[in-house]
């Protein structure tokens, strides 16, 4: 998976603190890992094939699913180049829905569900995004890193829907989870949500904790500034 671009100081200081998107990361994941995924599927099903004789049809079905995923992401990328996220979502919706309807249990569809969830989020439809992210959680329950990424997307979707309590609950799940991926981001976002919900002391404490635990990171530097600002105003 490609390394995500770090958010700028200006982006982190915005209110609300929203800067994370997943489509590029998941698209790159699906494209760059297509061959390893298919090889893994073939190896896994090889044992079953000796009994059932279904390897050919299984791999062929996965190839068809990945072809649909490629068509869907290509449609989105082409439409997204115009700079209109809502139009890009609408332009690729039919292709993604076909993938999810025809190949719901395939690996390509599981990856596509996460990509489409982010497309819906970016395209102004956080309700659909939340449903897709929620379904995707069970698809990747055995992969702590991807599960953490998807939970982050779910938290952002609920925040966009205006349910700050649910958003905060999912960010807390990330903090309590086994993967270290996204924990610093979750802590930072949870601090901001606490402030917005009127829990100033809780938010200030979280910012201070980030500053102390990650003094050299961008999050730590911004958290230190936010904590100082809250202390000065309180």
């Amino acid at each position: 998976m490609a390394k995500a671009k770090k958010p700028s100081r200006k982006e982190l200081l915005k209110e609300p603190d929203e800067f994370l998107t997943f489509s590029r990361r998941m698209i790159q994941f699906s494209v760059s890992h297509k061959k390893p995924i298919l090889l893994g599927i073939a190896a896994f099903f090889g044992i079953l094939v000796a009994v059932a004789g279904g390897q050919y049809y299984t791999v062929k079905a996965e190839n068809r699913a990945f072809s649909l995923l490629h068509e869907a992401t290509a449609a989105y990328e082409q439409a997204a180049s115009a700079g209109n996220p809502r139009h890009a979502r609408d332009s690729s919706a039919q292709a993604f829905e076909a993938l999810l309807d025809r190949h719901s249990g395939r690996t390509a569809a599981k990856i596509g569900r996460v990509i489409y969830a982010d497309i819906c989020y970016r395209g102004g439809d956080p309700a659909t995004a939340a449903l897709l992210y929620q379904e995707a959680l069970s698809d990747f329950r055995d992969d702590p890193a991807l599960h953490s990424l998807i939970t982050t997307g779910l938290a952002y979707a609920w925040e966009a829907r205006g349910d700050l309590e649910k958003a905060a609950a999912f960010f807390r799940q990330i903090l309590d989870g086994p993967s270290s991926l996204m924990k610093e981001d979750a802590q930072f976002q949870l601090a901001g949500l606490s402030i917005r919900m009127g829990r100033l002391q809780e938010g200030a404490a979280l910012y201070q904790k980030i500053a102390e635990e990650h003094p050299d990171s961008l999050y730590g530097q911004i958290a230190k500034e936010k904590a100082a600002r809250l202390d000065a105003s309180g």
Side-chain angles (χ1 to χ4, degrees):
M1 188 178 294
K3 186 177 181 181
K5 179 182 178 182
K6 288 186 178 181
S8 68
R9 177 181 294 271
K10 181 179 179 182
E11 289 173 314
L12 281 172
L13 282 170
K14 284 195 309 183
E15 293 296 343
D17 295 307
E18 290 189 18
F19 53 84
L20 184 66
T21 57
F22 295 91
S23 61
R24 176 68 61 182
R25 182 180 297 154
M26 292 304 297
I27 289 169
Q28 290 176 340
F29 175 85
S30 65
V31 172
S32 63
H33 290 73
K34 176 181 176 180
K35 288 184 179 179
I37 288 170
L38 288 175
L39 289 173
I41 291 168
F44 173 76
F45 279 98
I47 299 173
L48 300 181
V49 166
V51 178
Q55 181 185 33
Y56 172 78
Y57 297 101
T58 298
V59 175
K60 189 174 181 179
E62 288 290 351
N63 272 317
R64 286 198 299 268
F66 268 104
S67 293
L68 278 175
L69 176 60
H70 175 73
E71 291 174 12
T73 54
Y76 172 75
E77 289 290 335
Q78 182 177 1
S81 63
N84 187 328
R86 190 179 298 273
H87 172 68
R89 179 203 67 194
D90 294 341
S91 297
S92 59
Q94 185 174 356
F96 275 106
E97 288 167 5
L99 170 65
L100 299 181
D101 288 342
R102 298 175 195 172
H103 302 280
S104 61
R106 301 294 176 190
T107 303
K110 293 176 181 179
I111 295 170
R113 184 173 289 112
V114 181
I115 296 172
Y116 188 40
D118 183 61
I119 288 172
C120 289
Y121 172 79
R122 297 176 68 184
D125 187 4
T128 299
L131 290 173
L132 291 166
Y133 280 131
Q134 186 67 57
E135 189 173 353
L137 283 177
S138 61
D139 291 335
F140 296 98
R141 60 180 174 272
D142 295 325
D143 188 322
L146 280 176
H147 195 275
S148 183
L149 280 171
I150 294 165
T151 304
T152 300
L154 187 55
Y156 276 105
W158 278 109
E159 181 181 0
R161 293 187 68 180
D163 194 328
L164 303 188
E165 289 287 357
K166 276 195 174 182
F170 283 113
F171 281 127
R172 289 191 186 96
Q173 282 187 25
I174 298 165
L175 291 176
D176 295 336
S179 174
S180 61
L181 185 65
M182 305 310 300
K183 281 196 174 183
E184 192 177 353
D185 172 78
Q187 192 174 30
F188 187 89
Q189 300 303 328
L190 184 58
L193 287 175
S194 297
I195 299 299
R196 291 167 63 189
M197 290 187 289
R199 302 166 188 168
L200 302 184
Q201 289 186 338
E202 179 182 340
L206 283 168
Y207 279 135
Q208 186 61 40
K209 186 176 180 180
I210 296 169
E212 292 173 355
E213 293 180 348
H214 309 279
D216 298 324
S217 75
L218 183 57
Y219 285 106
Q221 295 167 24
I222 300 300
K224 183 177 180 180
E225 293 178 20
K226 287 180 174 286
R229 196 181 302 170
L230 287 168
D231 183 60
S233 63

